[in-house]
Amino acid sequence: MTATSIRYDMSLPMRLIRAVPVVLFYLAIIVVVFLMLPEKAQRIPLESIVVLGLIGLFRYGCVITHCVRAALYEYYMYPKLRFAADNLPEDQKMPGKLYVIIPTAGEKPDVSRQMLGSVLDEAATVSSKIIIIVNAGSEKDDEIFHMLLSERPKLPNVEVRFVRQVGGKRGGMADCVGRLMSEKVDQNDAIVLMDGDTVLGAGILKKCLPLFALKPKLGAITTDNISVTKGNWFYRKWYTLRFSMRHRMMKSQSLSQQLLVLTGRFSILRAKECLTDEFVSYLENDRIKHWLHGEIKFVTGDDKSTWYCLLKRGCEMLYVPDAHIFCMEDSGPKPFTMSIKKMHRWFGNMLRNNGRAIRLGMGCQKPFIWWCHVDQRISMFTSLLGPVAAIWAAFWVSPYYLVAYAMLVILARLAYALVLTIEGHRMALTDVPLLLYTQWVGSIVKIYTMFHLHKAKWDSHRVAGSNGQAGSGESFLDGLIPKMQMVFSFTLLLLFVAAMVGVK
């Protein structure tokens, strides 16, 4: 696998050599700080943080578990799947039909050109009949696609259809899938659901499609994401690091042959699982009931809705780590704000589905996947215990607690960055602070989002939407109670830390 994955275009020894200056820089900081500490810093009492230390060990244990599982999938399980799929008879590898549904609205022509070009390039590499369905939001978008199609030679196995997008991305995709329900599909025929700003990597269809023939219970596949980000350096580094972390988590989950999400940027689903009234309903009109806000209709997160529909049926899902897409992103003029908005949208989609996934139990999902859903609820609080406890202990017991915690944090994140480097990431000096930003700020965003599930919005370059609960129509209590819940949660967290650490 590693020979053909874009994450491994640089050898492991070279990646480790590039990481040496970063590792030495942070180790030097730790050594210098340690040598400068007075003798009394070595006598700070540790018994008051034993419980917090055990919680920390639990969190590090979860990280190590995912790392081990990811390695088992990448080097043991997936190579077997890859070998078996590559050795299927040629007439069985590819489906008879592949439908590619591309919702798009207001994308830049250059982005649409790259996206469509990559789809047509991939279509030329397979024998399947390819039906591309352009689900554009306006006549102007249609004109761009007609122009782009006229620039390329026609392929004999490709048919292009245009369906006007009505009701936003969700409504448009549901309309496209609904129209396909009248068509005859075979067992291994597949449907691609992808974004209009996604560029396919070379060989993605040849790597993914044979797996449907190999595994009859396989319901869906998703792939590695490579960030192609314009704009601010902070946002570029942060997005690249996020995708490296995603790569590891997806491999760990795929060892159980199920996933926590089918990425909306690009996923391939078995057509027979999609062409049902239930699937279309989840795609178009998914909602949950909330004790305070009533029915919350999903505005974003179509990928979570399709994933949940397949999870309920007990379908297998796989991550293909040596197939990749390129995600075209722009930081915009406010990169920090954009990163918060991204996390708010991602975590909102996650948490709106988390509760109902936990309630499914382990009948239709593997035990490890069910536990991952539970851990999503736990980790947002346990991730903040360390920094809160260090600040509390520094204020009430000894300021050297904060110094000791800072050194421990640097060591732990450095080790984690090295694991990501082994898995294909190129370590940078910014990785340690960005890992902390992702964990700590991300946890705060998760907690905020958990109490504001009724608020959802697309990024600014897409059509904005609301579920009808947020905004000017929100009642006083609808706005006040979530804020009170947040204050109560953080108060409980602080009281727990105070009880464990104590005061002088």
Side-chain angles (χ1 to χ4, degrees), residues 90-144:
E90 288 298 324
D91 60 343
Q92 296 180 21
K93 284 184 178 181
M94 295 296 158
K97 295 179 185 175
L98 176 67
Y99 299 92
V100 182
I101 298 176
I102 308 172
T104 180
E107 295 290 354
K108 296 177 181 178
D110 183 58
V111 172
S112 295
R113 174 179 279 104
Q114 294 181 65
M115 178 276 297
L116 185 60
S118 71
V119 173
L120 294 174
D121 288 343
E122 283 301 294
T125 67
V126 298
S127 57
S128 307
K129 173 70 174 178
I130 309 291
I131 298 95
I132 299 174
I133 303 173
V134 179
N135 186 222
S138 66
E139 290 185 8
K140 183 179 179 181
D141 292 323
D142 283 346
E143 290 172 2
I144 292 173

Side-chain angles (χ1 to χ4, degrees), residues 79-236:
K80 289 185 174 182
L81 291 173
R82 181 81 278 149
F83 179 82
D86 289 344
N87 285 277
L88 287 172
E90 288 298 324
D91 60 343
Q92 296 180 21
K93 284 184 178 181
M94 295 296 158
K97 295 179 185 175
L98 176 67
Y99 299 92
V100 182
I101 298 176
I102 308 172
T104 180
E107 295 290 354
K108 296 177 181 178
D110 183 58
V111 172
S112 295
R113 174 179 279 104
Q114 294 181 65
M115 178 276 297
L116 185 60
S118 71
V119 173
L120 294 174
D121 288 343
E122 283 301 294
T125 67
V126 298
S127 57
S128 307
K129 173 70 174 178
I130 309 291
I131 298 95
I132 299 174
I133 303 173
V134 179
N135 186 222
S138 66
E139 290 185 8
K140 183 179 179 181
D141 292 323
D142 283 346
E143 290 172 2
I144 292 173
F145 276 87
H146 281 297
M147 179 190 69
L148 296 176
L149 288 167
S150 68
E151 296 174 356
R152 297 182 59 103
K154 291 185 178 180
L155 296 173
N157 66 324
V158 173
E159 173 189 345
V160 181
R161 304 175 187 175
F162 287 83
V163 177
R164 173 65 65 246
Q165 187 180 115
V166 179
K169 181 185 177 185
R170 276 182 170 272
M173 293 173 70
D175 183 27
C176 292
V177 175
R179 291 174 185 235
L180 299 179
M181 289 176 64
S182 60
E183 300 202 11
K184 183 179 179 181
V185 295
D186 294 330
Q187 175 64 22
N188 294 333
D189 289 348
I191 295 177
V192 170
L193 300 178
M194 63 179 286
D195 283 349
D197 58 357
T198 294
V199 176
L200 306 189
I204 191 169
L205 296 184
K206 280 191 170 183
K207 291 172 181 174
C208 294
L209 293 177
L211 293 170
F212 288 101
L214 179 68
K215 298 179 68 63
K217 293 183 179 180
L218 181 62
I221 284 171
T222 196
T223 66
D224 191 8
N225 289 3
I226 306 297
S227 171
V228 181
T229 309
K230 296 180 180 179
N232 180 270
W233 68 270
F234 156 78
Y235 191 82
R236 293 200 310 271

Side-chain angles (χ1 to χ4, degrees), residues 146-340:
H146 281 297
M147 179 190 69
L148 296 176
L149 288 167
S150 68
E151 296 174 356
R152 297 182 59 103
K154 291 185 178 180
L155 296 173
N157 66 324
V158 173
E159 173 189 345
V160 181
R161 304 175 187 175
F162 287 83
V163 177
R164 173 65 65 246
Q165 187 180 115
V166 179
K169 181 185 177 185
R170 276 182 170 272
M173 293 173 70
D175 183 27
C176 292
V177 175
R179 291 174 185 235
L180 299 179
M181 289 176 64
S182 60
E183 300 202 11
K184 183 179 179 181
V185 295
D186 294 330
Q187 175 64 22
N188 294 333
D189 289 348
I191 295 177
V192 170
L193 300 178
M194 63 179 286
D195 283 349
D197 58 357
T198 294
V199 176
L200 306 189
I204 191 169
L205 296 184
K206 280 191 170 183
K207 291 172 181 174
C208 294
L209 293 177
L211 293 170
F212 288 101
L214 179 68
K215 298 179 68 63
K217 293 183 179 180
L218 181 62
I221 284 171
T222 196
T223 66
D224 191 8
N225 289 3
I226 306 297
S227 171
V228 181
T229 309
K230 296 180 180 179
N232 180 270
W233 68 270
F234 156 78
Y235 191 82
R236 293 200 310 271
K237 293 288 188 181
W238 173 74
Y239 219 79
T240 299
L241 185 62
R242 286 283 309 181
F243 279 162
S244 294
M245 297 167 67
R246 172 190 180 274
H247 182 58
R248 182 184 58 77
M249 292 296 292
M250 283 292 207
K251 289 186 295 183
S252 172
Q253 296 160 20
S254 199
L255 187 66
S256 295
Q257 301 189 68
Q258 284 183 329
L259 303 171
L260 296 187
V261 66
L262 293 174
T263 311
R265 288 186 176 276
F266 180 88
S267 291
I268 309 177
L269 298 84
R270 192 180 295 274
K272 284 189 174 295
E273 296 291 348
C274 300
L275 303 184
T276 65
D277 291 331
E278 180 190 40
F279 187 90
V280 173
S281 177
Y282 270 109
L283 195 53
E284 182 177 27
N285 200 31
D286 197 6
R287 57 188 68 214
I288 58 171
K289 289 185 178 180
H290 190 273
W291 69 271
L292 175 62
H293 305 296
E295 281 198 343
I296 299 176
K297 184 177 180 180
F298 292 5
V299 178
T300 63
D302 51 273
D303 49 353
K304 276 289 193 176
S305 296
T306 55
W307 160 83
Y308 180 73
C309 184
L310 298 189
L311 186 71
K312 278 180 61 180
R313 301 171 185 173
C315 291
E316 293 180 355
M317 307 171 207
L318 284 179
Y319 178 63
V320 182
D322 61 347
H324 62 273
I325 60 170
F326 297 99
C327 306
M328 315 300 284
E329 284 288 337
D330 194 323
S331 68
K334 298 179 179 179
F336 176 77
T337 302
M338 179 62 76
S339 70
I340 297 294

Side-chain angles (χ1 to χ4, degrees), residues 53 55-65 405 408-409 412-413:
I55 294 174
L57 288 175
F58 164 72
R59 286 259 52 94
Y60 289 131
C62 290
V63 172
I64 292 170
T65 298
Y405 180 72
L408 176 62
V409 160
R413 299 317 180 276

Side-chain angles (χ1 to χ4, degrees), residues 397-461:
V397 183
S398 169
Y400 296 113
Y401 274 110
L402 196 57
V403 178
Y405 180 72
M407 292 191 293
L408 176 62
V409 160
I410 291 174
L411 275 176
R413 299 317 180 276
L414 201 57
Y416 185 70
L418 279 172
V419 171
L420 295 179
T421 300
I422 293 171
E423 296 180 335
H425 178 69
R426 298 182 183 184
M427 187 185 291
L429 203 61
T430 54
D431 283 352
V432 169
L434 285 177
L435 281 170
L436 295 175
Y437 172 80
T438 298
Q439 181 181 353
W440 294 344
V441 177
S443 292
I444 294 170
V445 174
K446 281 180 188 177
I447 293 171
Y448 170 85
T449 305
M450 184 173 68
F451 298 120
H452 295 83
L453 293 179
H454 59 304
K455 294 187 177 182
K457 190 176 182 180
W458 281 111
D459 298 334
S460 57
H461 74 286

Side-chain angles (χ1 to χ4, degrees), residues 48 51-52 55 382 385 388 392 490-502:
S48 59
V51 174
L52 295 176
I55 294 174
T382 54
L385 278 176
V388 172
W392 180 274
F490 284 118
T491 301
L492 284 181
L493 180 69
L494 192 59
L495 288 174
F496 176 78
V497 168
M500 293 300 103
V501 177

